[in-house]
Amino acid sequence: MTGRRLHSLPPWLSHALRAQRAPVPWAAVVRGALAGGPLLLAAVFAGRPSNGVLLALGAMLAGVNDRPGTRRAAVWRIGAPALAGALGLIIGTALTGSAVPLVVACGVLGLVAGASSAVGAVASAAGSQLLVAVAVAAGMPLPEAGWLRALLYVGGAGWLILLRLVLPSPTGVNRGRSRNSRGTPLSYLYDGERTAVAAVYDAIADLLDAVGGPDARARRAALTAALDQAQDALHGPRLRWYAGSAAERRLRAQY
């Protein structure tokens, strides 16, 4: 479809039909390749393929929530939906073979999942994964009990979280230069936060260059998005709610 025909369509439809260009998240691609596949392969070699299916399922669905952001925020962003999915596996396993209770449970859980979407992105992902896991478990002919299914499922998600925490980031902001008092590279600990704060300064510079021009409105929207992302990186979901080092306090001050 040509660009002229796209412009004649409603904006919501032309946006869906237009090819979207975005950088490839290579770090997430690598984590996805190292997540479910190796777990399933190891389980097959160990003679426990059904365990591998559950491990790979947890890693695969956890990968849906493996989005750009900081390592600390990723623990909550990936872990909370995984726990909800584990609960869904227990419920779905208990309702296997019971058509009417399963339909009623799916209806009730569908309402819960829809309501949770108003709380936030993590709650929305948790509600969706809960509902999907119930449906999958109800039709999954595996010998494992519900509690073991949930444990393996969380184990697969935990493997992806471990990859998210351990694998280096491709960002090059102050790579390997600064170190904290324990000798850990600050670029590794705070690479997501540092990149997010640096993006705010870049967006400000772009907006200043565009003042008075046709791109000013778009650059202002880009600055707002950069500020939101930095806010989430520094003060969003995390393991602790206070700045634990001088480097983190400095990043907050720069923001």
Side-chain angles (χ1 to χ4, degrees):
M1 183 174 291
T2 63
R4 180 175 298 178
R5 291 181 180 178
L6 283 176
H7 285 299
S8 64
L9 296 175
W12 62 268
L13 182 57
S14 62
H15 176 77
L17 296 176
R18 186 180 295 111
Q20 305 295 321
R21 296 182 179 180
V24 177
W26 290 112
V29 171
V30 172
R31 290 193 296 270
L34 296 176
L39 292 176
L40 180 58
L41 186 61
V44 169
F45 281 131
R48 306 295 295 270
S50 60
N51 288 357
V53 169
L54 293 166
L55 288 168
L57 180 64
M60 181 187 69
L61 292 182
V64 175
N65 301 307
D66 185 12
R67 300 177 181 179
T70 66
R71 288 180 172 84
R72 289 173 295 173
V75 173
W76 174 249
R77 186 182 296 114
I78 298 174
L83 293 176
L87 177 60
L89 287 182
I90 295 175
I91 296 174
T93 303
L95 296 176
T96 300
S98 304
V100 175
L102 178 61
V103 172
V104 173
C106 287
V108 173
L109 293 175
L111 292 175
V112 173
S116 65
S117 63
V119 178
V122 176
S124 177
S128 299
Q129 200 159 138
L130 171 66
L131 188 60
V132 169
V134 170
V136 170
M140 183 182 291
L142 294 180
E144 286 81 5
W147 66 268
L148 183 55
R149 291 184 179 190
L151 187 62
L152 292 170
Y153 182 89
V154 172
W159 170 246
L160 183 65
I161 293 176
L162 180 63
L163 293 177
R164 182 69 178 85
L165 295 174
V166 172
L167 291 182
S169 171
T171 57
V173 181
N174 294 334
R175 186 182 298 275
R177 296 295 183 86
S178 301
R179 292 180 174 270
N180 63 6
S181 59
R182 298 181 181 180
T184 305
L186 293 179
S187 59
Y188 178 83
L189 288 177
Y190 305 112
D191 55 356
E193 289 91 337
R194 297 169 77 89
T195 302
V197 173
V200 174
Y201 282 86
D202 290 338
I204 293 173
D206 292 339
L207 177 58
L208 291 176
D209 289 338
V211 168
D215 296 333
R217 184 182 297 272
R219 297 289 175 83
R220 181 178 179 181
L223 174 58
T224 301
L227 286 168
D228 291 342
Q229 186 170 357
Q231 174 74 16
D232 291 340
L234 294 176
H235 304 285
R238 56 194 305 160
L239 294 178
R240 50 191 171 83
W241 299 94
Y242 58 90
S245 68
E248 190 173 354
R249 288 191 293 271
R250 184 165 56 251
L251 276 176
R252 291 191 181 189
Q254 289 170 342
Y255 168 73

